[in-house]
Amino acid sequence: MTDQTTLALEDFLPYRLTRLTDAISRDFSQAYRARLGLTRPEWRTLATIGQFGTMTATEVGAHSSMHKTKVSRAVAALETRRWLVRTPDPQDRRVERLTLSKTGQKAYEDMVPVARSFETGLLERMTPEERAALLVGLAALERTVLTE
Amino acid sequence: MTDQTTLALEDFLPYRLTRLTDAISRDFSQAYRARLGLTRPEWRTLATIGQFGTMTATEVGAHSSMHKTKVSRAVAALETRRWLVRTPDPQDRRVERLTLSKTGQKAYEDMVPVARSFETGLLERMTPEERAALLVGLAALERTVLTE
DNA sequence: TCGCCATGGTTACGATTGCAACCAATTCCT
DNA sequence: AGGAATTGGTTGCAATCGTAACCATGGCGA
């Protein structure tokens, strides 16, 4: 029986999600920040361009859920590091085509197994039923939150 | 069959969680920010003291997963608003006992149903099986992430 | 073709944040 | 009893972030 005049913060869904997410993304960012010296937006940008190949900054933002100023700064930082190259689009001179350099591609390939093993480390201490439940629950929540 | 050299960001658990959490907490903070003019740390502080009654700042931080500087600033803001009162602890003069004022208690009581209905709004478009799965999955993830 | 709105991207600015340093009070150790 | 280490809480500072404003280019309607 729940008390109607009180809210149990530790059971409140938005709070549980932020707490989990804070802990997980802090742990994960340590894993690559120490290794690669990347910030979170830079990591996401690397991951997105690595996944799709050449993209524009707007496309990176759309696919990684980042504000365009974040993308802009992350792209600038990765360019300074010479991990990506900007090429003017001949069709539309507002647009820049972003591509990973050889070094950037190498960094991406090093990063992928780190990310996979981090995720595995999270999931391996759950039972198969729990893992399945998590995926079902997250997909349902995404459906209700990220659409319409 | 998954490509081993590439990471699908949209399937990567930490990314899915941050995206969901960003969207949910942005929506929710709009719900109370517009209504009450509270920041997120202030909301959490109000929610925590409202739930437990008198507490110290350290206890608020422990129960709401907030850094002590966040708590300190949120307490100062709520005090300026006259929603809470600090009382020196006679046993230990380092400690301040934090209590909601009458106005703060009223604000808390107004806030609780808003929070509940926000949560309900998230869950009501999921099936009962999906809701159950979400709770199982989150609990399992909390167990692996937030312990030891 | 001209003017207006939309789009891609950058930048200035204020607000928020976490870290580290700090102060005061308490506890621990000898 | 008296330092040294610990704890509760605050503040200075640098970094990060989002909003809004901005520049340049492109698309579109009259």
Side-chain angles (χ1 to χ4, degrees), chain A:
Chain A
M1 183 202 299
T2 63
D3 180 346
Q4 281 307 315
T5 69
T6 273
L7 184 74
L9 191 60
E10 68 277 14
D11 295 332
F12 185 53
L13 185 59
Y15 172 70
R16 293 177 71 185
L17 282 170
T18 50
R19 186 179 39 160
L20 263 176
T21 299
D22 283 354
I24 289 175
S25 62
R26 185 172 35 73
D27 289 352
F28 181 51
S29 83
Q30 281 181 347
Y32 59 75
R33 191 160 199 155
R35 186 174 317 229
L36 303 176
L38 288 179
T39 67
R40 257 169 271 216
E42 288 161 23
W43 183 88
R44 274 202 204 180
T45 301
L46 178 70
T48 305
I49 304 180
Q51 178 179 356
F52 292 103
T54 300
M55 304 184 85
T56 70
T58 301
E59 289 167 345
V60 170
H63 200 266
S64 62
S65 307
M66 286 196 295
H67 193 271
K68 61 181 183 169
T69 62
K70 263 191 187 173
V71 177
S72 174
R73 287 157 181 151
V75 166
L78 291 175
E79 186 188 30
T80 301
R81 204 181 282 247
R82 304 197 188 285
W83 282 9
L84 72 75
V85 180
R86 309 188 203 222
T87 314
D89 184 319
Q91 315 294 327
D92 183 342
R93 283 184 304 168
R94 293 171 302 181
V95 173
E96 297 173 332
R97 308 178 64 72
L98 306 173
T99 317
L100 294 187
S101 68
K102 200 143 268 166
T103 321
Q105 183 64 34
K106 178 66 168 53
Y108 177 74
E109 286 162 13
D110 288 350
M111 177 275 278
V112 168
V114 174
R116 284 194 196 288
S117 84
F118 180 86
E119 188 180 48
T120 303
L122 285 181
L123 295 173
E124 73 186 359
R125 287 195 290 161
M126 299 170 55
T127 68
E129 292 77 19
E130 287 169 339
R131 281 194 285 276
L134 181 64
L135 296 186
V136 168
L138 285 186
L141 201 50
E142 285 168 346
R143 197 188 64 228
T144 76
V145 170
L146 304 174
T147 56
E148 109 217 38

